[in-house]
Amino acid sequence: AQSVTQPDIHITVSEGASLELRCNYSYGATPYLFWYVQSPGQGLQLLLKYFSGDTLVQGIKGFEAEFKRSQSSFNLRKPSVHWSDAAEYFCAVGDIDYKLSFGAGTTVTVRA
Amino acid sequence: ETGVTQTPRHLVMGMTNKKSLKCEQHLGHNAMYWYKQSAKKPLELMFVYNFKEQTENNSVPSRFSPECPNSSHLFLHLHTLQPEDSALYLCASSQEPGPITEAFFGQGTRLTVV
């Protein structure tokens, strides 16, 4: 069975600074990888996904993520955060039977 | 607005009550899902429906009873819940079951069992 670990429970970053959220997965085959964002009181919104091909994927809102098979990682990055990026971020891995396994999430706080 | 609407947004119920959560999507999707989100825990997949047929029951207690009358509507019927069932319940839909298609989530129902 697949599993996802997000080592950082909470990250605080200054507005305009760069952001990197870590995600490690455990899955025997080629993974389908996702990052979702959840703003307060909202559902989850897909930021980006990786299935195959270029290991650097671009998403919405200026986010990108890099798949590194050797490290079983799929870290999310943004060069310059905005106050509106304060939210909870979830990494997820999917298998061929449509089951998405989510990490516990990382809460991002943006300070002025 | 993702196209997936959940009602009510908030619900407080006693352990002996019976209530239902409703999810509606008009995206033309064929697969619908119920997830449970507890504080600081990963989202837990509860049920999957594909073309109105339940294809996944992830060892969910029988006090949670899903219903999918058509591909646009999904219900979660609740009865004799426990305080530990308090959580955010999220509905999602996708064009078809599978990780390749994007899942669209509703805003969730915040359930408190007292």
Side-chain angles (χ1 to χ4, degrees):
Chain A
Q2 66 271 28
S3 66
V4 178
T5 302
Q6 293 180 246
D8 304 304
I9 296 174
H10 192 183
I11 287 181
T12 298
V13 61
S14 298
E15 192 170 15
S18 64
L19 174 68
E20 181 168 13
L21 304 181
R22 296 183 290 165
C23 173
N24 294 98
Y25 67 90
S26 172
Y27 186 57
T30 300
Y32 301 103
L33 296 163
F34 306 80
W35 275 100
Y36 282 86
V37 61
Q38 185 178 33
S39 298
Q42 302 296 316
L44 277 69
Q45 181 183 20
L46 181 67
L47 284 175
L48 47 79
K49 58 190 176 185
Y50 171 80
F51 296 144
S52 64
D54 193 348
T55 55
L56 184 64
V57 294
Q58 302 297 319
I60 62 172
K61 305 185 180 186
F63 284 92
E64 65 178 26
E66 186 172 13
F67 170 58
K68 292 186 177 180
R69 183 185 299 275
S70 61
Q71 299 178 18
S72 297
S73 69
F74 188 56
N75 294 348
L76 181 72
R77 298 193 293 258
K78 184 168 184 177
S80 177
V81 298
H82 186 262
W83 64 266
S84 60
D85 294 321
E88 191 156 18
Y89 293 79
F90 295 92
C91 181
V93 59
D95 65 19
I96 60 173
D97 292 326
Y98 57 73
K99 296 177 189 175
L100 278 178
S101 294
F102 286 84
T106 298
T107 300
V108 173
T109 298
V110 180
R111 59 180 175 225
Chain B
E1 179 59 50
T2 64
V4 180
T5 304
Q6 290 186 243
T7 53
R9 292 292 308 277
H10 301 272
L11 177 63
V12 180
M13 60 185 288
M15 290 189 285
T16 58
N17 292 159
K18 290 184 179 181
K19 297 287 184 182
S20 296
L21 310 185
K22 180 182 177 182
C23 176
E24 185 173 356
Q25 60 91 5
H26 295 288
L27 300 170
H29 290 170
N30 298 311
M32 298 187 76
Y33 313 79
W34 279 117
Y35 283 88
K36 177 183 179 182
Q37 185 179 24
S38 303
K40 297 308 174 187
K41 292 177 63 177
L43 272 75
E44 302 170 49
L45 178 64
M46 300 175 71
F47 301 104
V48 180
Y49 277 81
N50 180 26
F51 289 96
K52 303 185 298 178
E53 298 296 322
Q54 186 181 132
T55 56
E56 182 81 18
N57 177 339
N58 206 22
S59 302
V60 181
S62 59
R63 57 186 184 270
F64 295 90
S65 175
E67 179 189 1
C68 189
N70 55 62
S71 56
S72 298
H73 294 86
L74 184 65
F75 296 89
L76 187 63
H77 303 301
L78 316 171
H79 64 97
T80 59
L81 295 191
Q82 303 298 311
E84 59 264 29
D85 295 322
S86 298
L88 181 68
Y89 289 84
L90 292 165
C91 173
S93 71
S94 63
Q95 182 62 40
E96 57 194 34
I100 297 179
T101 57
E102 178 181 351
F104 291 79
F105 284 80
Q107 294 177 306
T109 295
R110 173 68 62 186
L111 174 67
T112 303
V113 181
V114 297

